[in-house]
Every structure is written in C-alpha cells, then in structure tokens.
Amino acid sequence: MHTQAAIIDADLWQRWHTIAGCRHHFPLLRQRVNGKALVYFDNAATSQKPQVVIDTMMRYYQEENSNIHRGVHYLSERATRAYETARGKVRRFLNASDYREVIFVRGTTEAINLVSQSYGRRNLTSGDEVLISAMEHHSNIVPWQLVCEEAGATLRVIPINDAGEILIDEYQRLLNERTKIVSLVHVSNVLGTINPVKEMISMAHARGIPVMIDGAQAVPHMKVDVQDLGCDFYAFSAHKLFGPTGVGVLYGKRALLEEMPPYQGGGDMIKSVTFERTIYNDLPYKFEAGTPNISGGIGLGAAIDYIGNLDMHALSAYEHDILEYATEQMSEIKRVRIIGTAREKAAVLSFVIEGIHPHDIGTILDDEGIAIRTGHHCAQPLMQRFGIPATARASFAFYNTKEEVDVFVKGIRKVLEVLG
Ligand SMILES: Cc1ncc(COP(=O)(O)O)c(C=O)c1O
C-alpha cells in the first residue's frame, strides 16, 4: 500500500481539507438516487464535472460557437483562440516542451490507435515484437493486435505477480532487438497499480526502444510530467479528468511525430491538395483531420485550469487515505477478496465476494444510491490472469469522503445479508 498518507504533516492536513471542500463544485453529486444520497464510486469509468467546466462549455455555445482555423470572421477567430489556448494549457499540464507535441483526439482509445496505425504501420515488419503488460485495457491490446496481424509482428506480454505488479525482471528479459515499441498502462483501471513507468521507460530506451504510456487513470490522481518520465507518447481522456467526453490528448515527441504519416485524411490536416498530390499540414494539425471537438477541447482547458488550482500532492494524499480506509474496512469482511494489492496503488478498489456475482453486488448497491462498476472492465486477459470472470470496482476521486466509504461498506454488508 502507498505510504504517502503516513507522511501527512499539519500543513498538508490543512490543504487536504481544502481538497475535500471542493465537493460542492460538482453539482451532480448533490442528487439523490433511489431516495438515497448519491455515492459516486465509478470515477475510473468517468469522473463528474465541476460547474466551471459546464459553464465554460455552455458559454462557448452561447457566445463563441464557430468553426476554427479556417474563418477570418470574429467568431471563428475567437473560437480558434479559445481552442488553441486550451492546447497551451494541456502542454503546460503535461510539461510538454512544445505545443506541436499536443494532439487533440477523441480520447485514450483514439490516441493509441493513432500511434499503432501511424507509428506501428510504418515501423513494424514481420518478426518484430510489440511489448505490453498483462494488465492492459482492451484499448492498449486490440489496436496493437490489429497492426501486428497486418505486419506479421508478435504481441508479447509482460507477466504480473498475484498482487498485480509487473515483474520487472521478466520485462528486462522480454526487451530484445526485435522489440519495436513498448506500450504500458501507467495506472491500472482494475488493480489500481501504479506502474514504475519512469524506470521501465529508461530500460527500454537503453535499447533504443520507444515507449507509449496509457495515462487514462493516472492524470486524475497524480502530477504527470512527460519530460521527466521521458516517454515517447502519452495518452489520456478528458472525461476521466473532470472534463467532457469525446476529447482527449496524444502527447508525442516532436521528432517522432514529424516522421510519422497522417492517421486520417481530410480537412485541416493539409497544406494543399491536388488530385495528384497532397502536402500535409504541420504538427499538430497533420494528425487532426476534420472539424475537431471544439467545445470539448475548450472544456478540457477549463478542467485543467480547475485541477491546476488544486494542490496535487494534497489531492493524492487525500485519495490514498480514502483508499486505505476503504481497503481496511473491506478486508474485515469475510468472503471479500481484494483484487490488486500492489504496494503502489491509486484510488481503485476491485474485489470479489465468494459465491456472489459482481453484477448482483452492483445492483443491490444501486438500490442504496451507490454507483460502482461491475464486469471485466475492458480487461478480459487480466480477469483470466486472476481466474475470475469479473470484479466489482469502487473507484474514488478527491470529492469522495470517508462517510461515503461507510455507506458503501454498509451496502456490502447488506449484499451479504440479502444474497449471503
Ligand atoms: C487504463 C485505461 N486505458 C484506456 C481507457 C480508454 O479510455 P477511453 O474510453 O476514454 O478512450 C480506459 C477507460 O476506462 C482506461 O481505464
């Protein structure tokens, strides 16, 4: 278990209470479900949105709506400025060195498809290998399978231990001259494991192998600095970061992106077109064909501003305390087995209850106004690794409280009473 909660001092304690006080910024959390105060523990699927994000997107449609990049009129210039300002916010958020390294996409899934279809197709040939881990989301498995199949390359998988930690020695052993790219999840959406990606990136780089990181579950919980990590590509989705659905980011090192062919063709990604030949646009637009999700990009910028006003260290410490509290409570309940007990964990608690299907757990909790996720969480190979068809998963955000954990644990006891 993460030890950050143990190093809390008086100052952090104060800042942490400020974090918990942010709950009222999220209007949806005020509602009642099935006559009970909502307990929203499905943050790994999507997080709730603060009022400021909702207002920013509403204002865009009320005052700025226009297509971007092409217009010379007032509204188009205003919308373009707002959208490109959001790109600048993403650049600072990730500490990318250049705005050209920030590509707006639909989300993590599209970012990984972009890299696999563009970088992968260009660089993979028969006999090559792509290395992923056993705890990947389907969106970091299937795109690589598609390109491997086409190229005659092989997908190799780094094994994990029973706690849900990557076996670093096995990783070292799997890196070889045939490995053309490593693609790894930063934080597992099922296990909560925080992978030692910085160390893993340098191990791959020592052999000249580029690394893509799926940061969908990392950015809402910790400070991410792509230059410090040294990753070649980094992907995340706005909707898990308190922003809107339908937009996300691919960060890529400029030198790599310059060499890569476009992923999709269409408007905006070109400089000039004739029937004989097209000259592609500069970065980042080369990878942004068609009208983008303008309001989404602007909404993401607002979410980043919001997060930027929070103390990320205090936020992580607060969430770890919630996770530890929930883990302790759940460990006391007979027949509950926690799936994912890594030493370094973010705010995800997956579990099974002997003899009870996770869907039934989810349904009974829903009657109590508690929203959790049940199923394979788009990680079927990981379920197979643990020999289970599904789990129930509670996932926390900084706006959750220990009181909500108490309601949740009471709900679990009710599940045992009803179905036990
Ligand atoms: C670890 C991880 N990777 C990728 C994704 C896919 O994200 P999206 O559906 O927003 O593209 C998710 C979504 O749950 C995820 O948890």
Side-chain angles (χ1 to χ4, degrees), residues 33-34 36 351 356-375 392 411-412 414-415 418-419:
V33 170
N34 295 324
K36 313 274 169 49
F351 59 96
I356 302 179
H357 196 280
H359 286 294
D360 297 331
I361 302 173
T363 307
I364 291 183
L365 291 184
D366 181 54
D367 285 342
E368 300 298 310
I370 305 163
I372 62 156
R373 199 69 161 186
T374 62
I412 294 293
K414 182 164 177 200
V415 170
V418 176
L419 300 174

PDB file of all heavy atoms in Angstrom, residues 33-34 36 351 356-375 392 411-412 414-415 418-419:
ATOM      1  N   VAL A  33     -30.381   9.302  -5.439  1.00  0.00           N
ATOM      2  CA  VAL A  33     -30.657   8.179  -6.348  1.00  0.00           C
ATOM      3  C   VAL A  33     -31.389   7.120  -5.539  1.00  0.00           C
ATOM      4  O   VAL A  33     -30.923   6.740  -4.454  1.00  0.00           O
ATOM      5  CB  VAL A  33     -29.331   7.619  -6.932  1.00  0.00           C
ATOM      6  CG1 VAL A  33     -29.583   6.312  -7.671  1.00  0.00           C
ATOM      7  CG2 VAL A  33     -28.687   8.635  -7.862  1.00  0.00           C
ATOM      8  N   ASN A  34     -32.526   6.685  -6.067  1.00  0.00           N
ATOM      9  CA  ASN A  34     -33.361   5.717  -5.329  1.00  0.00           C
ATOM     10  C   ASN A  34     -33.650   6.194  -3.897  1.00  0.00           C
ATOM     11  O   ASN A  34     -33.616   5.401  -2.946  1.00  0.00           O
ATOM     12  CB  ASN A  34     -32.699   4.332  -5.319  1.00  0.00           C
ATOM     13  CG  ASN A  34     -32.619   3.754  -6.721  1.00  0.00           C
ATOM     14  OD1 ASN A  34     -33.534   3.964  -7.536  1.00  0.00           O
ATOM     15  ND2 ASN A  34     -31.545   3.058  -7.031  1.00  0.00           N
ATOM     16  N   LYS A  36     -31.853   7.889  -1.970  1.00  0.00           N
ATOM     17  CA  LYS A  36     -30.677   7.984  -1.083  1.00  0.00           C
ATOM     18  C   LYS A  36     -29.689   9.010  -1.650  1.00  0.00           C
ATOM     19  O   LYS A  36     -29.655   9.233  -2.868  1.00  0.00           O
ATOM     20  CB  LYS A  36     -29.950   6.626  -1.004  1.00  0.00           C
ATOM     21  CG  LYS A  36     -30.845   5.436  -0.770  1.00  0.00           C
ATOM     22  CD  LYS A  36     -31.101   5.215   0.704  1.00  0.00           C
ATOM     23  CE  LYS A  36     -32.193   4.205   0.987  1.00  0.00           C
ATOM     24  NZ  LYS A  36     -32.133   2.947   0.298  1.00  0.00           N
ATOM     25  N   PHE A 351     -12.817  -5.882  -6.153  1.00  0.00           N
ATOM     26  CA  PHE A 351     -12.989  -7.007  -5.224  1.00  0.00           C
ATOM     27  C   PHE A 351     -14.010  -7.996  -5.772  1.00  0.00           C
ATOM     28  O   PHE A 351     -14.796  -7.674  -6.676  1.00  0.00           O
ATOM     29  CB  PHE A 351     -13.441  -6.505  -3.841  1.00  0.00           C
ATOM     30  CG  PHE A 351     -14.740  -5.739  -3.872  1.00  0.00           C
ATOM     31  CD1 PHE A 351     -15.941  -6.369  -3.591  1.00  0.00           C
ATOM     32  CD2 PHE A 351     -14.763  -4.394  -4.209  1.00  0.00           C
ATOM     33  CE1 PHE A 351     -17.147  -5.671  -3.641  1.00  0.00           C
ATOM     34  CE2 PHE A 351     -15.965  -3.682  -4.251  1.00  0.00           C
ATOM     35  CZ  PHE A 351     -17.147  -4.325  -3.963  1.00  0.00           C
ATOM     36  N   ILE A 356     -20.973 -14.764  -4.835  1.00  0.00           N
ATOM     37  CA  ILE A 356     -21.930 -13.735  -5.287  1.00  0.00           C
ATOM     38  C   ILE A 356     -21.396 -13.091  -6.571  1.00  0.00           C
ATOM     39  O   ILE A 356     -20.233 -12.660  -6.622  1.00  0.00           O
ATOM     40  CB  ILE A 356     -22.148 -12.647  -4.205  1.00  0.00           C
ATOM     41  CG1 ILE A 356     -22.664 -13.293  -2.915  1.00  0.00           C
ATOM     42  CG2 ILE A 356     -23.121 -11.571  -4.702  1.00  0.00           C
ATOM     43  CD1 ILE A 356     -22.892 -12.317  -1.775  1.00  0.00           C
ATOM     44  N   HIS A 357     -22.255 -13.009  -7.584  1.00  0.00           N
ATOM     45  CA  HIS A 357     -21.793 -12.421  -8.845  1.00  0.00           C
ATOM     46  C   HIS A 357     -21.650 -10.906  -8.701  1.00  0.00           C
ATOM     47  O   HIS A 357     -22.521 -10.255  -8.108  1.00  0.00           O
ATOM     48  CB  HIS A 357     -22.774 -12.751  -9.976  1.00  0.00           C
ATOM     49  CG  HIS A 357     -22.145 -12.513 -11.321  1.00  0.00           C
ATOM     50  ND1 HIS A 357     -22.057 -11.251 -11.877  1.00  0.00           N
ATOM     51  CD2 HIS A 357     -21.536 -13.359 -12.188  1.00  0.00           C
ATOM     52  CE1 HIS A 357     -21.428 -11.331 -13.041  1.00  0.00           C
ATOM     53  NE2 HIS A 357     -21.091 -12.613 -13.250  1.00  0.00           N
ATOM     54  N   PRO A 358     -20.571 -10.334  -9.238  1.00  0.00           N
ATOM     55  CA  PRO A 358     -20.376  -8.877  -9.128  1.00  0.00           C
ATOM     56  C   PRO A 358     -21.584  -8.060  -9.604  1.00  0.00           C
ATOM     57  O   PRO A 358     -21.892  -7.012  -9.030  1.00  0.00           O
ATOM     58  CB  PRO A 358     -19.152  -8.617 -10.004  1.00  0.00           C
ATOM     59  CG  PRO A 358     -18.389  -9.894  -9.957  1.00  0.00           C
ATOM     60  CD  PRO A 358     -19.402 -10.991  -9.868  1.00  0.00           C
ATOM     61  N   HIS A 359     -22.291  -8.540 -10.624  1.00  0.00           N
ATOM     62  CA  HIS A 359     -23.456  -7.764 -11.108  1.00  0.00           C
ATOM     63  C   HIS A 359     -24.521  -7.650 -10.019  1.00  0.00           C
ATOM     64  O   HIS A 359     -25.191  -6.616  -9.902  1.00  0.00           O
ATOM     65  CB  HIS A 359     -24.051  -8.402 -12.360  1.00  0.00           C
ATOM     66  CG  HIS A 359     -23.196  -8.181 -13.572  1.00  0.00           C
ATOM     67  ND1 HIS A 359     -22.988  -6.941 -14.126  1.00  0.00           N
ATOM     68  CD2 HIS A 359     -22.470  -9.051 -14.328  1.00  0.00           C
ATOM     69  CE1 HIS A 359     -22.173  -7.045 -15.161  1.00  0.00           C
ATOM     70  NE2 HIS A 359     -21.834  -8.314 -15.301  1.00  0.00           N
ATOM     71  N   ASP A 360     -24.662  -8.715  -9.244  1.00  0.00           N
ATOM     72  CA  ASP A 360     -25.652  -8.671  -8.151  1.00  0.00           C
ATOM     73  C   ASP A 360     -25.203  -7.693  -7.059  1.00  0.00           C
ATOM     74  O   ASP A 360     -26.038  -7.005  -6.463  1.00  0.00           O
ATOM     75  CB  ASP A 360     -25.871 -10.074  -7.570  1.00  0.00           C
ATOM     76  CG  ASP A 360     -26.466 -11.019  -8.623  1.00  0.00           C
ATOM     77  OD1 ASP A 360     -27.173 -10.510  -9.505  1.00  0.00           O
ATOM     78  OD2 ASP A 360     -26.195 -12.232  -8.562  1.00  0.00           O
ATOM     79  N   ILE A 361     -23.916  -7.634  -6.832  1.00  0.00           N
ATOM     80  CA  ILE A 361     -23.394  -6.660  -5.853  1.00  0.00           C
ATOM     81  C   ILE A 361     -23.748  -5.250  -6.331  1.00  0.00           C
ATOM     82  O   ILE A 361     -24.283  -4.430  -5.577  1.00  0.00           O
ATOM     83  CB  ILE A 361     -21.846  -6.775  -5.707  1.00  0.00           C
ATOM     84  CG1 ILE A 361     -21.437  -8.186  -5.290  1.00  0.00           C
ATOM     85  CG2 ILE A 361     -21.325  -5.727  -4.726  1.00  0.00           C
ATOM     86  CD1 ILE A 361     -19.920  -8.424  -5.290  1.00  0.00           C
ATOM     87  N   GLY A 362     -23.459  -4.997  -7.620  1.00  0.00           N
ATOM     88  CA  GLY A 362     -23.715  -3.669  -8.197  1.00  0.00           C
ATOM     89  C   GLY A 362     -25.183  -3.287  -8.134  1.00  0.00           C
ATOM     90  O   GLY A 362     -25.528  -2.131  -7.862  1.00  0.00           O
ATOM     91  N   THR A 363     -26.060  -4.270  -8.358  1.00  0.00           N
ATOM     92  CA  THR A 363     -27.499  -3.991  -8.385  1.00  0.00           C
ATOM     93  C   THR A 363     -28.005  -3.646  -6.989  1.00  0.00           C
ATOM     94  O   THR A 363     -28.776  -2.694  -6.810  1.00  0.00           O
ATOM     95  CB  THR A 363     -28.259  -5.223  -8.946  1.00  0.00           C
ATOM     96  OG1 THR A 363     -27.654  -5.555 -10.196  1.00  0.00           O
ATOM     97  CG2 THR A 363     -29.728  -4.939  -9.148  1.00  0.00           C
ATOM     98  N   ILE A 364     -27.553  -4.387  -5.996  1.00  0.00           N
ATOM     99  CA  ILE A 364     -28.024  -4.106  -4.625  1.00  0.00           C
ATOM    100  C   ILE A 364     -27.468  -2.764  -4.141  1.00  0.00           C
ATOM    101  O   ILE A 364     -28.174  -1.971  -3.520  1.00  0.00           O
ATOM    102  CB  ILE A 364     -27.659  -5.270  -3.677  1.00  0.00           C
ATOM    103  CG1 ILE A 364     -28.511  -6.477  -4.084  1.00  0.00           C
ATOM    104  CG2 ILE A 364     -27.885  -4.895  -2.215  1.00  0.00           C
ATOM    105  CD1 ILE A 364     -28.356  -7.694  -3.235  1.00  0.00           C
ATOM    106  N   LEU A 365     -26.223  -2.482  -4.476  1.00  0.00           N
ATOM    107  CA  LEU A 365     -25.661  -1.187  -4.086  1.00  0.00           C
ATOM    108  C   LEU A 365     -26.402  -0.044  -4.767  1.00  0.00           C
ATOM    109  O   LEU A 365     -26.621   1.019  -4.173  1.00  0.00           O
ATOM    110  CB  LEU A 365     -24.163  -1.119  -4.422  1.00  0.00           C
ATOM    111  CG  LEU A 365     -23.229  -2.006  -3.594  1.00  0.00           C
ATOM    112  CD1 LEU A 365     -21.775  -1.750  -3.985  1.00  0.00           C
ATOM    113  CD2 LEU A 365     -23.391  -1.771  -2.099  1.00  0.00           C
ATOM    114  N   ASP A 366     -26.822  -0.268  -6.005  1.00  0.00           N
ATOM    115  CA  ASP A 366     -27.563   0.773  -6.727  1.00  0.00           C
ATOM    116  C   ASP A 366     -28.859   1.128  -5.996  1.00  0.00           C
ATOM    117  O   ASP A 366     -29.239   2.297  -5.926  1.00  0.00           O
ATOM    118  CB  ASP A 366     -27.854   0.305  -8.157  1.00  0.00           C
ATOM    119  CG  ASP A 366     -28.605   1.357  -8.950  1.00  0.00           C
ATOM    120  OD1 ASP A 366     -28.125   2.510  -9.010  1.00  0.00           O
ATOM    121  OD2 ASP A 366     -29.691   1.050  -9.486  1.00  0.00           O
ATOM    122  N   ASP A 367     -29.509   0.119  -5.421  1.00  0.00           N
ATOM    123  CA  ASP A 367     -30.723   0.384  -4.621  1.00  0.00           C
ATOM    124  C   ASP A 367     -30.424   1.340  -3.472  1.00  0.00           C
ATOM    125  O   ASP A 367     -31.296   2.058  -3.002  1.00  0.00           O
ATOM    126  CB  ASP A 367     -31.253  -0.918  -3.983  1.00  0.00           C
ATOM    127  CG  ASP A 367     -31.944  -1.791  -5.020  1.00  0.00           C
ATOM    128  OD1 ASP A 367     -32.299  -1.269  -6.084  1.00  0.00           O
ATOM    129  OD2 ASP A 367     -32.109  -2.997  -4.737  1.00  0.00           O
ATOM    130  N   GLU A 368     -29.158   1.316  -3.022  1.00  0.00           N
ATOM    131  CA  GLU A 368     -28.756   2.171  -1.892  1.00  0.00           C
ATOM    132  C   GLU A 368     -28.197   3.521  -2.384  1.00  0.00           C
ATOM    133  O   GLU A 368     -27.634   4.279  -1.603  1.00  0.00           O
ATOM    134  CB  GLU A 368     -27.665   1.463  -1.067  1.00  0.00           C
ATOM    135  CG  GLU A 368     -28.097   0.126  -0.490  1.00  0.00           C
ATOM    136  CD  GLU A 368     -29.264   0.268   0.484  1.00  0.00           C
ATOM    137  OE1 GLU A 368     -29.175   1.122   1.379  1.00  0.00           O
ATOM    138  OE2 GLU A 368     -30.273  -0.453   0.316  1.00  0.00           O
ATOM    139  N   GLY A 369     -28.294   3.761  -3.703  1.00  0.00           N
ATOM    140  CA  GLY A 369     -27.797   5.029  -4.254  1.00  0.00           C
ATOM    141  C   GLY A 369     -26.298   5.033  -4.491  1.00  0.00           C
ATOM    142  O   GLY A 369     -25.693   6.092  -4.684  1.00  0.00           O
ATOM    143  N   ILE A 370     -25.679   3.822  -4.477  1.00  0.00           N
ATOM    144  CA  ILE A 370     -24.213   3.734  -4.619  1.00  0.00           C
ATOM    145  C   ILE A 370     -23.869   3.258  -6.030  1.00  0.00           C
ATOM    146  O   ILE A 370     -24.327   2.194  -6.456  1.00  0.00           O
ATOM    147  CB  ILE A 370     -23.625   2.740  -3.588  1.00  0.00           C
ATOM    148  CG1 ILE A 370     -24.056   3.139  -2.167  1.00  0.00           C
ATOM    149  CG2 ILE A 370     -22.103   2.662  -3.710  1.00  0.00           C
ATOM    150  CD1 ILE A 370     -23.881   2.032  -1.136  1.00  0.00           C
ATOM    151  N   ALA A 371     -23.065   4.038  -6.728  1.00  0.00           N
ATOM    152  CA  ALA A 371     -22.677   3.685  -8.100  1.00  0.00           C
ATOM    153  C   ALA A 371     -21.276   3.104  -8.101  1.00  0.00           C
ATOM    154  O   ALA A 371     -20.310   3.801  -7.772  1.00  0.00           O
ATOM    155  CB  ALA A 371     -22.721   4.925  -8.985  1.00  0.00           C
ATOM    156  N   ILE A 372     -21.163   1.816  -8.427  1.00  0.00           N
ATOM    157  CA  ILE A 372     -19.839   1.210  -8.642  1.00  0.00           C
ATOM    158  C   ILE A 372     -19.869   0.540 -10.019  1.00  0.00           C
ATOM    159  O   ILE A 372     -20.911   0.485 -10.662  1.00  0.00           O
ATOM    160  CB  ILE A 372     -19.463   0.158  -7.568  1.00  0.00           C
ATOM    161  CG1 ILE A 372     -20.457  -1.022  -7.588  1.00  0.00           C
ATOM    162  CG2 ILE A 372     -19.353   0.781  -6.198  1.00  0.00           C
ATOM    163  CD1 ILE A 372     -19.878  -2.296  -7.025  1.00  0.00           C
ATOM    164  N   ARG A 373     -18.754   0.010 -10.443  1.00  0.00           N
ATOM    165  CA  ARG A 373     -18.669  -0.677 -11.734  1.00  0.00           C
ATOM    166  C   ARG A 373     -18.547  -2.171 -11.489  1.00  0.00           C
ATOM    167  O   ARG A 373     -17.840  -2.593 -10.571  1.00  0.00           O
ATOM    168  CB  ARG A 373     -17.416  -0.198 -12.471  1.00  0.00           C
ATOM    169  CG  ARG A 373     -17.442  -0.454 -13.937  1.00  0.00           C
ATOM    170  CD  ARG A 373     -18.464   0.427 -14.547  1.00  0.00           C
ATOM    171  NE  ARG A 373     -18.288   0.590 -15.969  1.00  0.00           N
ATOM    172  CZ  ARG A 373     -19.020   1.417 -16.672  1.00  0.00           C
ATOM    173  NH1 ARG A 373     -19.948   2.157 -16.094  1.00  0.00           N
ATOM    174  NH2 ARG A 373     -18.847   1.522 -17.970  1.00  0.00           N
ATOM    175  N   THR A 374     -19.199  -2.967 -12.326  1.00  0.00           N
ATOM    176  CA  THR A 374     -19.010  -4.418 -12.246  1.00  0.00           C
ATOM    177  C   THR A 374     -18.780  -4.952 -13.659  1.00  0.00           C
ATOM    178  O   THR A 374     -19.295  -4.398 -14.623  1.00  0.00           O
ATOM    179  CB  THR A 374     -20.247  -5.121 -11.649  1.00  0.00           C
ATOM    180  OG1 THR A 374     -21.360  -4.892 -12.514  1.00  0.00           O
ATOM    181  CG2 THR A 374     -20.570  -4.605 -10.259  1.00  0.00           C
ATOM    182  N   GLY A 375     -17.995  -6.000 -13.762  1.00  0.00           N
ATOM    183  CA  GLY A 375     -17.752  -6.594 -15.074  1.00  0.00           C
ATOM    184  C   GLY A 375     -16.273  -6.869 -15.266  1.00  0.00           C
ATOM    185  O   GLY A 375     -15.516  -6.978 -14.295  1.00  0.00           O
ATOM    186  N   ALA A 392     -16.140  -6.452  -8.890  1.00  0.00           N
ATOM    187  CA  ALA A 392     -16.838  -5.212  -8.559  1.00  0.00           C
ATOM    188  C   ALA A 392     -15.730  -4.204  -8.279  1.00  0.00           C
ATOM    189  O   ALA A 392     -14.689  -4.567  -7.730  1.00  0.00           O
ATOM    190  CB  ALA A 392     -17.710  -5.413  -7.329  1.00  0.00           C
ATOM    191  N   GLY A 411     -23.461  -1.000   2.638  1.00  0.00           N
ATOM    192  CA  GLY A 411     -24.124  -1.590   1.466  1.00  0.00           C
ATOM    193  C   GLY A 411     -23.607  -2.989   1.176  1.00  0.00           C
ATOM    194  O   GLY A 411     -24.372  -3.910   0.858  1.00  0.00           O
ATOM    195  N   ILE A 412     -22.288  -3.180   1.333  1.00  0.00           N
ATOM    196  CA  ILE A 412     -21.695  -4.505   1.092  1.00  0.00           C
ATOM    197  C   ILE A 412     -22.217  -5.506   2.128  1.00  0.00           C
ATOM    198  O   ILE A 412     -22.531  -6.655   1.805  1.00  0.00           O
ATOM    199  CB  ILE A 412     -20.146  -4.430   1.133  1.00  0.00           C
ATOM    200  CG1 ILE A 412     -19.613  -3.585  -0.023  1.00  0.00           C
ATOM    201  CG2 ILE A 412     -19.518  -5.815   1.130  1.00  0.00           C
ATOM    202  CD1 ILE A 412     -19.825  -4.166  -1.409  1.00  0.00           C
ATOM    203  N   LYS A 414     -25.065  -5.384   3.485  1.00  0.00           N
ATOM    204  CA  LYS A 414     -26.448  -5.680   3.092  1.00  0.00           C
ATOM    205  C   LYS A 414     -26.460  -6.729   1.957  1.00  0.00           C
ATOM    206  O   LYS A 414     -27.289  -7.634   1.953  1.00  0.00           O
ATOM    207  CB  LYS A 414     -27.137  -4.386   2.637  1.00  0.00           C
ATOM    208  CG  LYS A 414     -28.567  -4.615   2.272  1.00  0.00           C
ATOM    209  CD  LYS A 414     -29.374  -3.356   2.182  1.00  0.00           C
ATOM    210  CE  LYS A 414     -30.779  -3.740   1.739  1.00  0.00           C
ATOM    211  NZ  LYS A 414     -31.503  -2.622   1.190  1.00  0.00           N
ATOM    212  N   VAL A 415     -25.507  -6.592   1.019  1.00  0.00           N
ATOM    213  CA  VAL A 415     -25.391  -7.574  -0.066  1.00  0.00           C
ATOM    214  C   VAL A 415     -25.248  -8.976   0.536  1.00  0.00           C
ATOM    215  O   VAL A 415     -25.917  -9.926   0.110  1.00  0.00           O
ATOM    216  CB  VAL A 415     -24.165  -7.255  -0.972  1.00  0.00           C
ATOM    217  CG1 VAL A 415     -23.886  -8.390  -1.956  1.00  0.00           C
ATOM    218  CG2 VAL A 415     -24.351  -5.943  -1.714  1.00  0.00           C
ATOM    219  N   VAL A 418     -28.547 -10.139   2.069  1.00  0.00           N
ATOM    220  CA  VAL A 418     -29.590 -10.475   1.089  1.00  0.00           C
ATOM    221  C   VAL A 418     -29.219 -11.723   0.289  1.00  0.00           C
ATOM    222  O   VAL A 418     -30.059 -12.607   0.077  1.00  0.00           O
ATOM    223  CB  VAL A 418     -29.824  -9.275   0.123  1.00  0.00           C
ATOM    224  CG1 VAL A 418     -30.821  -9.624  -0.971  1.00  0.00           C
ATOM    225  CG2 VAL A 418     -30.305  -8.064   0.897  1.00  0.00           C
ATOM    226  N   LEU A 419     -27.975 -11.789  -0.136  1.00  0.00           N
ATOM    227  CA  LEU A 419     -27.587 -12.881  -1.046  1.00  0.00           C
ATOM    228  C   LEU A 419     -26.715 -13.945  -0.384  1.00  0.00           C
ATOM    229  O   LEU A 419     -26.385 -14.962  -0.995  1.00  0.00           O
ATOM    230  CB  LEU A 419     -26.836 -12.320  -2.261  1.00  0.00           C
ATOM    231  CG  LEU A 419     -27.590 -11.324  -3.142  1.00  0.00           C
ATOM    232  CD1 LEU A 419     -26.686 -10.763  -4.205  1.00  0.00           C
ATOM    233  CD2 LEU A 419     -28.800 -11.987  -3.794  1.00  0.00           C
TER     234      LEU A 419
END
